[in-house]
Amino acid sequence: MIHFSINKNLFLQALTTTKRAISHKNAIPILSTIKIDVSNEGITLIGSNGQISIENFISVKNENAGLLINSLGSILLEANFFINIVSSLPDITLDFKEIEQKQVVLVSGKSEITLKGKDPDQYPRIQEVAASNPLILETKILKQIINETAFAASTQESRPILTGVHFVLTDNQSLKTVATDSHRMSQKKITLEKTGDNFDVVIPSRSLREFSAVFTDDIETVEIFFANNQLLFRSENISFYTRLLEGNYPDTDRLIPTEFTNVVTFTTNKLRQSMERARLLSNATQNGTVKLEIAKGVVRAHVHSPEVGRVDEEIDTVHSSGEELAISFNPTYLIEALKAIDSEEVTISFISAVRPFTLVPEDDTDSFIQLITPVRTN
Amino acid sequence: MIHFSINKNLFLQALTTTKRAISHKNAIPILSTIKIDVSNEGITLIGSNGQISIENFISVKNENAGLLINSLGSILLEANFFINIVSSLPDITLDFKEIEQKQVVLVSGKSEITLKGKDPDQYPRIQEVAASNPLILETKILKQIINETAFAASTQESRPILTGVHFVLTDNQSLKTVATDSHRMSQKKITLEKTGDNFDVVIPSRSLREFSAVFTDDIETVEIFFANNQLLFRSENISFYTRLLEGNYPDTDRLIPTEFTNVVTFTTNKLRQSMERARLLSNATQNGTVKLEIAKGVVRAHVHSPEVGRVDEEIDTVHSSGEELAISFNPTYLIEALKAIDSEEVTISFISAVRPFTLVPEDDTDSFIQLITPVRTN
């Protein structure tokens, strides 16, 4: 039966990270528990919602953990409740001891709390991914790619494949990531420093957002392993599993236009603020759009809601080329696209009022491109 | 028709304060608007939810307002929407101009936003309170009194009078404030520096909480005026009206015991943390209580939930006198009582397992007393 003592704050941090995989209202009740595995090497905390699973390892060698293991074993505890209890303990260390009938006694300072646990055999097996031949990426770069693409994935289950981000490695070195909800698209390409085996997978965008939250900035690199329908992100202490989406991702390359009639460079922030004003009124219109009018190098935004009122404003530009154009679109798509752009300036290229327009950051015109489809209005 | 220009940030701040009285989902639709009155002296912003009303005055003499008034008038604008629009404006000043058909044009930088307003005659009249012979209090002291009592008022409408805080001035100088939900009670007494006319009113605790949010710490004193069933808190720029509760407030003086069998002094924080741990488990018990056991100067807390587990802990005491006692109560009441106490130490005095116990802060044993009723358990 388990018996160990550990630093409360470090334990709490590891529990909180693991909890990101645990949903309180899971259809499978046992998945609302956290699994605690104690071996001679350390403690493994395991959480899963059936889509993603996190294994978080606390080593006896981690000096900040102050981990002393007296006796080994496994147990399941109600995750939310257990974490609240640990967080409320008075002392900086806690003693965790399993007693009869799967009960756990926590002692910290003068407080003694007894909790009912569950048989670890009830917990489903986390699928194993053969941990060989990983792709190695800088965590920072992977998180940036996720930030630049995942928001553009669909949130609707009508076409499940579009709720994921398409990751494709070709020539062992060229990584392309794409997300689209069919109204807008975001694509980022990078060349890897270390080569790897080619792959073509679709990762749920929700899993990627959780990955970004779990892999903190102090984790420098992440190893990526693929199995049939699973993927494993691994750092020294954390294994993050996600299922992959099955099916063929649509061919998005053919969507990207290359010839344009109007090319306008904006200050990213100013354009975003202008669209945020426009959205306040476009939300009250029937088709929810803002109209951009380009004429003689001047760009103006218009929204007219018969109930609420209207916005008319000139948007400062850095450069502008091309003839007259009027185009309508959902300002939320442009706002979200601009949020994903770090660059101070952004170039938007148009073809016509009915064809998608592209956005590229001014400081990275080759690798990062976004597409937004306009709305036909009459 | 109205025309003025003003500093955006100051205007936004005044709007946000006034909005505290405005409920988005009021049964009376016109109350979701904010009323803007422009006179030669300045702008008055008015909001109301029928229970409380706020009038916020921006003077032409306020240098931070940069207020230039060209033309006078009144108008109503959808409060939430208007505030979002003002907050989104690009420049530090805005120009506010009424045009035909109750429309308003806001110009800021290169942005021009037209909003539909409403006829000010549709707005209900805010009841006037005769502004003479006020009671004057330091804002800080009034907010402290509210903080010490309002939480103990009832939130249930079954006995409406108990949703208020009883304010009684006797001998022109002795102010007593009491709140109770019949399970616990909190009473604060102070002696006013300036005398006033005696009064006996019950102020809705919700109004008092809004008062605390609206009257910021830079407002040094507040004038208080009474009318039949209304009360006005007034500072230089803000008039805050609240209706009063009608009916007789129960006599609470007779509830306060004076003789005790057990008197224990705790460190406020440690007791509170102990109760927060206890509450995690008491929430999972049938009667939701923690049991305190006092024996030979040692105080122990116990909770036992057959489903979830148990807490047993010793609580450090500073002093303890009296015989053995075991008493059960809802830990939330004690936690909330302790939150209202600034003092590092708190003295709790008991009579028996079935009689209310009292809490007084160690540094203010005369003026501030709280009562908590135990729960009978067998």
Side-chain angles (χ1 to χ4, degrees):
Chain A
M1 291 199 290
I2 303 172
H3 186 194
F4 65 86
S5 66
I6 193 166
N7 175 285
K8 184 189 89 166
N9 291 329
L10 187 129
F11 191 47
L12 189 60
Q13 204 178 8
L15 287 167
T16 308
T17 298
T18 311
K19 197 188 139 201
R20 293 202 73 96
I22 302 175
S23 161
H24 194 51
K25 317 176 227 180
N26 204 293
I28 305 168
I30 204 74
L31 290 183
S32 69
T33 65
I34 192 162
K35 187 177 183 193
I36 301 177
D37 271 340
V38 181
S39 71
N40 283 317
E41 288 72 41
I43 300 176
T44 307
L45 304 173
I46 299 163
S48 177
N49 61 11
Q51 308 291 310
I52 64 172
S53 305
I54 296 175
E55 288 181 9
N56 202 337
F57 181 66
I58 305 167
S59 169
V60 288
K61 293 178 189 149
N62 180 342
E63 286 178 12
N64 297 324
L67 179 56
L68 283 175
I69 293 178
N70 293 323
S71 172
L72 315 183
S74 288
I75 200 158
L76 307 181
L77 291 165
E78 212 48 51
N80 260 339
F81 185 61
F82 178 59
I83 292 172
N84 287 340
I85 294 283
V86 169
S87 131
S88 81
L89 292 176
D91 203 28
I92 57 160
T93 62
L94 72 97
D95 184 89
F96 181 115
K97 188 172 186 178
E98 184 183 349
I99 58 170
E100 74 280 356
Q101 294 181 312
K102 301 291 168 204
Q103 292 186 95
V104 167
V105 179
L106 304 174
V107 177
S108 178
K110 292 179 179 172
S111 180
E112 182 179 308
I113 299 181
T114 309
L115 301 175
K116 305 213 167 183
K118 284 184 177 144
D119 186 342
D121 293 343
Q122 294 180 36
Y123 204 78
R125 221 170 66 94
I126 305 266
Q127 276 191 43
E128 307 250 327
V129 174
S132 67
N133 202 15
L135 182 75
I136 297 172
L137 268 182
E138 274 185 57
T139 311
K140 205 176 63 181
I141 288 177
L142 179 53
K143 285 171 73 167
Q144 192 187 341
I145 291 175
I146 293 170
N147 191 44
E148 289 170 336
T149 56
F151 72 92
S154 174
T155 53
Q156 309 201 323
E157 292 296 330
S158 53
R159 280 184 74 187
I161 197 79
L162 295 189
T163 63
V165 179
H166 192 199
F167 278 68
V168 187
L169 188 68
T170 47
D171 303 331
N172 303 103
Q173 205 159 14
S174 302
L175 179 65
K176 183 180 82 171
T177 52
V178 186
T180 178
D181 62 4
S182 79
H183 302 290
R184 36 100 179 255
M185 190 197 89
S186 183
Q187 174 187 289
K188 174 80 171 192
K189 286 179 171 175
I190 63 166
T191 303
L192 300 186
E193 287 185 11
K194 299 179 184 169
T195 59
D197 289 348
N198 288 344
F199 56 81
D200 184 327
V201 296
V202 184
I203 309 175
S205 65
R206 206 178 297 163
S207 301
L208 291 170
R209 275 192 289 271
E210 285 304 318
F211 165 84
S212 291
V214 167
F215 280 67
T216 47
D217 290 341
D218 56 313
I219 300 172
E220 281 190 21
T221 59
V222 52
E223 296 176 316
I224 307 176
F225 302 90
F226 299 96
N228 261 344
N229 52 9
Q230 276 224 324
L231 181 150
L232 163 60
F233 294 112
R234 196 173 73 175
S235 70
E236 195 185 348
N237 295 318
I238 301 176
S239 295
F240 180 107
Y241 298 84
T242 170
R243 74 177 174 97
L244 296 171
L245 292 171
E246 288 174 51
N248 290 320
Y249 201 83
D251 175 17
T252 51
D253 288 341
R254 62 177 179 78
L255 301 175
I256 301 173
T258 49
E259 293 191 8
F260 304 98
T261 57
N262 291 72
V263 178
V264 188
T265 301
F266 296 92
T267 306
T268 311
N269 263 341
K270 282 193 183 176
L271 179 59
R272 180 173 154 190
Q273 285 160 12
S274 173
M275 288 301 113
E276 279 167 354
R277 279 188 289 279
R279 179 164 61 175
L280 289 171
L281 278 96
S282 73
N283 279 339
T285 64
Q286 205 172 3
N287 56 24
T289 60
V290 56
K291 182 193 275 187
L292 230 53
E293 282 181 357
I294 307 174
K296 296 178 187 155
V298 176
V299 179
R300 299 186 62 85
H302 303 281
V303 182
H304 182 211
S305 150
E307 283 86 36
V308 179
R310 54 192 301 143
V311 174
D312 301 283
E313 71 179 74
E314 184 183 333
I315 307 172
D316 288 332
T317 60
V318 183
H319 302 290
S320 178
S321 71
E323 297 303 305
E324 291 194 5
L325 177 75
I327 185 167
S328 294
F329 54 87
N330 181 335
T332 296
Y333 290 141
L334 185 49
I335 290 166
E336 293 187 0
L338 294 169
K339 277 187 191 169
I341 291 176
D342 263 340
S343 173
E344 271 186 39
E345 294 177 359
V346 56
T347 296
I348 304 190
S349 305
F350 302 91
I351 302 169
S352 82
V354 297
R355 299 276 302 279
F357 56 91
T358 67
L359 287 88
V360 295
E362 201 38 34
D363 63 5
D364 178 15
T365 53
D366 285 340
S367 71
F368 184 29
I369 188 165
Q370 299 188 64
L371 231 65
I372 294 174
T373 305
V375 174
R376 286 181 206 227
T377 58
N378 290 314
Chain B
M1 290 198 292
I2 303 173
H3 188 193
F4 66 86
S5 65
I6 193 167
N7 174 285
K8 184 188 92 167
N9 291 329
L10 186 131
F11 191 46
L12 189 60
Q13 205 177 7
L15 287 166
T16 308
T17 298
T18 311
K19 197 186 138 201
R20 292 203 74 97
I22 302 174
S23 161
H24 195 49
K25 318 176 225 174
N26 204 293
I28 305 167
I30 203 75
L31 290 183
S32 68
T33 65
I34 192 161
K35 187 177 183 194
I36 301 177
D37 270 340
V38 182
S39 71
N40 283 317
E41 288 71 43
I43 300 175
T44 306
L45 305 173
I46 299 162
S48 177
N49 62 12
Q51 307 292 310
I52 63 172
S53 306
I54 297 175
E55 287 181 9
N56 202 336
F57 181 67
I58 306 167
S59 169
V60 288
K61 293 179 189 149
N62 179 342
E63 286 179 10
N64 298 324
L67 179 56
L68 284 176
I69 294 179
N70 293 323
S71 172
L72 315 182
S74 289
I75 200 159
L76 307 181
L77 290 166
E78 212 47 51
N80 258 339
F81 185 61
F82 179 58
I83 292 172
N84 287 339
I85 294 284
V86 170
S87 131
S88 81
L89 293 176
D91 203 26
I92 58 160
T93 62
L94 72 96
D95 184 88
F96 180 115
K97 190 173 185 178
E98 184 184 349
I99 58 170
E100 73 282 356
Q101 293 182 314
K102 301 292 167 204
Q103 293 186 95
V104 166
V105 179
L106 303 173
V107 177
S108 177
K110 291 178 179 173
S111 180
E112 182 179 309
I113 299 181
T114 310
L115 302 174
K116 306 213 166 184
K118 284 184 178 144
D119 186 342
D121 292 344
Q122 294 180 37
Y123 204 77
R125 220 170 67 93
I126 304 267
Q127 276 191 42
E128 306 250 325
V129 174
S132 67
N133 202 13
L135 183 74
I136 297 172
L137 269 181
E138 275 186 57
T139 311
K140 206 176 63 181
I141 289 178
L142 180 53
K143 285 171 74 167
Q144 192 187 340
I145 292 174
I146 293 170
N147 191 43
E148 288 171 337
T149 56
F151 71 94
S154 173
T155 53
Q156 309 200 325
E157 291 296 331
S158 54
R159 282 185 73 189
I161 197 79
L162 295 188
T163 63
V165 180
H166 192 200
F167 279 68
V168 186
L169 188 68
T170 47
D171 301 332
N172 303 104
Q173 204 159 16
S174 301
L175 179 65
K176 185 180 82 171
T177 53
V178 185
T180 178
D181 62 3
S182 80
H183 301 292
R184 36 102 179 254
M185 191 197 88
S186 183
Q187 174 187 288
K188 173 81 171 189
K189 285 179 172 176
I190 63 166
T191 303
L192 301 187
E193 288 186 11
K194 298 179 187 171
T195 59
D197 289 349
N198 288 342
F199 57 81
D200 184 327
V201 296
V202 184
I203 310 175
S205 65
R206 207 179 294 164
S207 301
L208 291 170
R209 276 192 289 270
E210 286 304 318
F211 165 83
S212 290
V214 167
F215 280 67
T216 48
D217 290 341
D218 56 316
I219 300 172
E220 279 189 22
T221 60
V222 53
E223 295 176 316
I224 307 175
F225 303 90
F226 299 95
N228 261 343
N229 52 9
Q230 277 223 326
L231 181 149
L232 163 61
F233 295 112
R234 196 174 72 175
S235 70
E236 195 185 348
N237 295 317
I238 301 176
S239 295
F240 181 107
Y241 298 84
T242 170
R243 73 176 174 98
L244 296 172
L245 292 171
E246 289 173 50
N248 290 319
Y249 200 83
D251 174 16
T252 52
D253 289 341
R254 62 176 180 80
L255 302 175
I256 300 172
T258 49
E259 293 192 7
F260 305 98
T261 57
N262 293 71
V263 178
V264 187
T265 302
F266 296 93
T267 306
T268 312
N269 262 342
K270 283 194 181 174
L271 179 59
R272 179 172 154 190
Q273 285 160 11
S274 172
M275 288 301 112
E276 279 167 353
R277 280 188 288 280
R279 178 165 61 175
L280 288 171
L281 278 97
S282 73
N283 280 340
T285 64
Q286 205 171 3
N287 56 23
T289 59
V290 57
K291 181 191 277 185
L292 230 53
E293 283 181 356
I294 307 173
K296 294 179 189 156
V298 176
V299 179
R300 300 186 61 85
H302 303 282
V303 182
H304 182 212
S305 151
E307 283 87 35
V308 179
R310 54 193 301 144
V311 174
D312 300 284
E313 70 179 76
E314 185 183 332
I315 307 172
D316 288 332
T317 59
V318 183
H319 302 291
S320 179
S321 71
E323 296 304 303
E324 292 195 5
L325 177 74
I327 186 167
S328 294
F329 53 88
N330 180 335
T332 296
Y333 290 141
L334 185 49
I335 290 166
E336 293 186 1
L338 294 169
K339 278 186 190 169
I341 291 176
D342 263 341
S343 172
E344 272 187 36
E345 295 178 358
V346 57
T347 296
I348 305 190
S349 306
F350 303 91
I351 302 169
S352 81
V354 296
R355 299 276 300 278
F357 57 91
T358 66
L359 288 87
V360 294
E362 202 38 34
D363 63 5
D364 178 14
T365 53
D366 285 339
S367 71
F368 184 28
I369 187 165
Q370 299 187 64
L371 230 64
I372 294 174
T373 305
V375 174
R376 287 183 204 224
T377 59
N378 290 314

